[in-house]
């Protein structure tokens, strides 16, 4: 597994020899496996640094257990661990937002809000730590699901998922597991005795990704090569379509195709509703 990830990093130039790598961890098997694999690979690059960061969204009865598991695991690997919460960064927990009813009014699911703010929180963490790249544990399955979801949403400005794109001051994101199927990571975590958190998030069933995941699992069971061929062919199409030039959000300054990025827009709407 370590060699496979090493080959993926080298094939797509995901990491540099002196990167300060923020590894986004959730306490699940994918992210803790990624941390362990990167810790092994980066031993060969003494100028690089690893930091593990967990974002606590404030999901009642779910995240607290993950924080403890992840913290112990990082300490055993000797990787500095940081946890940041939605409450401290944005002033609300995900559970508070869901309970307030504001998501129904805005036509959003908990996962949409969770994903947008987790992304924003990771960027804040990376800037605080001086990280040069953010590594996420998106597997082959996750990357394909993201492309399919974007297609279903009619997204016209799609970017390659998990490939390093240097874009001014923006911190690049990479997915070193993008060529590794989920089931192989599960097997790796099991064989390596990685103590991952097994509780399922109470909001999983509300997401469109959950349905796309079920469909892909069914489809790939009948056509095992489907995920690889989709990734290869779809990314060829993306390459041909070229990339649009991105502007920056007028509020947070991060790259965005809109004047005000989706994260800032939703943050303003939620804060406005919670104040009433
Ligand atoms: Fe967040 Fe949805 Fe994942 Fe739960 S299932 S952690 S709400 S993205």
């Amino acid at each position: 597994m370590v060699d496979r990830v090493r080959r993926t990093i080298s094939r797509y130039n995901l990491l540099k020899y002196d990167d300060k790598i923020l590894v986004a961890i959730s306490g699940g098997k994918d992210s803790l496996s990624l941390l362990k694999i990167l810790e092994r690979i980066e031993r060969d690059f003494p100028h690089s640094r690893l930091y593990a960061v967990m974002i606590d969204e404030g999901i009642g009865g779910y995240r607290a257990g993950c924080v403890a598991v992840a913290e112990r695991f990082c300490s055993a690997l000797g990787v500095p661990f940081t946890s940041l919460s939605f409450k401290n960064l944005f002033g609300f927990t995900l559970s508070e937002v869901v309970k307030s009813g504001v998501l129904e009014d805005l036509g959003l699911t908990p996962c949409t809000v969770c994903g947008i703010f987790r992304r924003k929180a990771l960027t804040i963490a990376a800037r605080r730590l001086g990280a040069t790249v953010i590594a996420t544990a998106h597997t082959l399955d996750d990357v394909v699901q993201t492309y399919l979801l974007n297609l279903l949403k009619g997204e016209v400005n799609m970017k390659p998922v998990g490939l390093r794109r240097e874009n001014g001051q923006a911190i690049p994101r990479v997915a070193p597991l993008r060529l590794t199927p989920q089931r192989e990571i599960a097997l790796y975590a099991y064989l390596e005795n990685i103590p991952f958190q097994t509780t399922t998030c109470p909001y999983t069933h509300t997401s469109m990704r959950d349905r796309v995941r079920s469909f892909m699992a069914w489809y790939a069971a009948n056509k095992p090569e489907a995920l690889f061929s989709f990734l290869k062919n779809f990314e060829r199409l993306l390459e041909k379509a070229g990339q649009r030039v991105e502007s920056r959000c007028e509020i947070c300054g991060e790259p965005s195709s809109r004047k005000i990025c989706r994260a800032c827009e939703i943050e303003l709407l939620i804060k406005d509703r919670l104040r009433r």
Side-chain angles (χ1 to χ4, degrees), residues 22-219:
L22 181 160
V23 185
I25 57 168
S26 65
K29 61 183 177 330
D30 301 347
S31 60
L32 294 186
S33 297
L34 173 65
L35 185 67
K36 182 165 174 131
I37 292 166
L38 286 182
E39 192 278 328
R40 175 64 200 89
I41 292 174
E42 295 306 315
R43 269 188 239 162
D44 299 336
F45 297 92
H47 295 292
S48 72
R49 292 282 175 277
L50 280 180
Y51 308 96
V53 172
M54 171 172 270
I55 305 302
D56 181 357
E57 305 89 347
I59 301 173
Y62 171 62
R63 208 35 109 189
C66 306
V67 178
V69 171
E71 194 163 9
R72 276 197 301 274
F73 188 73
C74 294
S75 156
L77 280 182
V79 176
F81 171 84
T82 306
S83 167
L84 293 180
S85 68
F86 277 16
K87 188 73 177 174
N88 286 336
L89 291 173
F90 310 118
F92 47 76
T93 66
L94 190 63
S95 292
E96 284 168 356
V97 172
V98 173
K99 274 192 205 120
S100 73
V102 64
L103 295 185
E104 281 86 9
D105 298 349
L106 299 175
L108 298 170
T109 64
C111 292
T112 305
V113 173
C114 182
I116 287 174
F117 285 101
R118 202 171 41 212
R119 193 178 168 86
K120 184 165 181 165
L122 284 172
T123 301
I124 294 171
R127 295 212 184 280
R128 286 185 186 172
L129 290 166
T132 53
V133 65
I134 297 173
T136 62
H138 290 95
T139 60
L140 173 64
D141 305 51
D142 297 322
V143 175
V144 170
Q145 284 159 22
T146 302
Y147 285 142
L148 283 174
L149 276 165
N150 283 337
L151 280 174
L152 291 171
K153 281 191 271 179
E155 179 62 67
V156 287
N157 189 21
M158 256 191 258
K159 305 171 201 82
V161 176
L163 293 186
R164 189 165 189 143
R165 294 183 314 124
E166 304 290 348
N167 183 2
Q169 295 302 306
I171 299 169
R173 287 167 187 257
V174 297
L177 302 181
R178 70 191 318 277
L179 295 184
T180 306
Q182 197 110 46
R183 61 179 187 281
E184 292 183 26
I185 275 293
L187 184 63
Y188 172 82
Y190 175 74
L191 293 174
E192 292 289 320
N193 282 322
I194 292 176
F196 56 89
Q197 210 249 10
T198 50
T199 315
T200 307
C201 172
Y203 304 125
T204 305
H205 68 281
T206 65
S207 72
M208 182 61 80
R209 181 180 284 272
D210 203 40
R211 280 157 215 163
V212 171
R213 186 184 295 123
S214 305
F215 166 74
M216 283 311 298
W218 167 80
Y219 191 74

